Amino acid sequence: MSTASEGATPGFLVWRLSMKWRVAVDRAVAPLGLTHAQYSLVASLYGMQRSGLRPSQRHLADHTGLEALYVSKLARALESAGLVERTRDPRDPRAVQLALTDEGREVTRQAIKVVHGLLQQLLEPLGGLDSERTRELSRDLAILLDTPLNPASEHEKEQS
């Protein structure tokens, strides 16, 4: 464990790891013309399309954890780059559906390979991507992600 991590809270460690990951992915996908946030969007879209879905911007926002307004901004930039097409949902004219273009699918496939290599590097100390420790970590992270947080409630308790 690094000196900076000694005595650190789990929250601090999660934040540091997320920052380390974001920076590494940003650098790794930059040669493909993507940012980490754009990668999150196109990789999620790629998986959804492979499952036969054509998600709305809202659905993609919910899936990625990004704000809907930010997804809209990212989708417009990706559309301008020729990687994504945005169309009105025939069932709901207020909703915008997203799909990867042919070029978008190719760039995304390349980006997924690059990020998968990074993930292998990150998880090597735990025994690699397919190790029991990694599966346990994934289960623990999923539990934490599924735990609802209401920051206002703690502040309100202190004020009472």
Side-chain angles (χ1 to χ4, degrees):
M1 188 180 299
S2 70
T3 314
S5 301
E6 289 178 25
T9 65
F12 180 75
L13 294 173
V14 167
W15 178 76
R16 286 288 310 270
L17 182 58
S18 70
M19 294 305 295
K20 174 182 178 175
W21 182 249
R22 187 193 61 77
V23 168
V25 173
D26 263 337
R27 289 180 180 153
V29 299
L32 297 169
L34 297 172
T35 65
H36 181 263
Q38 289 172 330
Y39 168 77
S40 296
L41 195 87
V42 295
S44 295
L45 190 52
Y46 183 82
M48 290 174 160
Q49 277 186 222
R50 287 180 55 133
S51 299
L53 300 175
R54 186 173 176 127
S56 67
Q57 289 181 168
R58 162 55 60 196
H59 185 193
L60 208 49
D62 292 343
H63 178 78
T64 60
L66 297 170
E67 292 293 326
L69 193 58
Y70 190 44
V71 168
S72 177
K73 180 181 172 183
L74 290 170
R76 282 193 304 276
L78 291 164
E79 181 181 42
S80 294
L83 303 179
V84 167
E85 57 183 28
R86 299 167 68 238
T87 57
R88 290 280 170 207
D89 185 336
R91 296 163 300 190
D92 181 357
R94 297 168 297 159
V96 175
Q97 291 180 317
L98 302 175
L100 291 170
T101 62
D102 289 341
E103 180 183 358
R105 276 189 297 282
E106 181 53 35
V107 167
T108 302
R109 276 193 287 272
Q110 292 174 38
I112 288 171
K113 285 180 186 173
V114 168
V115 172
H116 186 76
L118 272 180
L119 190 56
Q120 291 279 28
Q121 289 177 41
L122 179 68
L123 296 172
E124 194 58 39
L126 299 181
L129 193 56
D130 297 322
S131 76
E132 181 54 39
R133 283 185 72 192
T134 296
R135 285 190 291 279
E136 187 176 325
L137 173 66
S138 294
R139 284 189 297 269
D140 289 346
L141 291 171
I143 289 168
L144 295 176
L145 282 171
D146 289 343
T147 301
L149 296 177
N150 186 357
S153 65
E154 285 304 311
H155 178 70
E156 290 168 0
K157 287 178 190 174
E158 291 175 6
Q159 299 300 315
S160 302

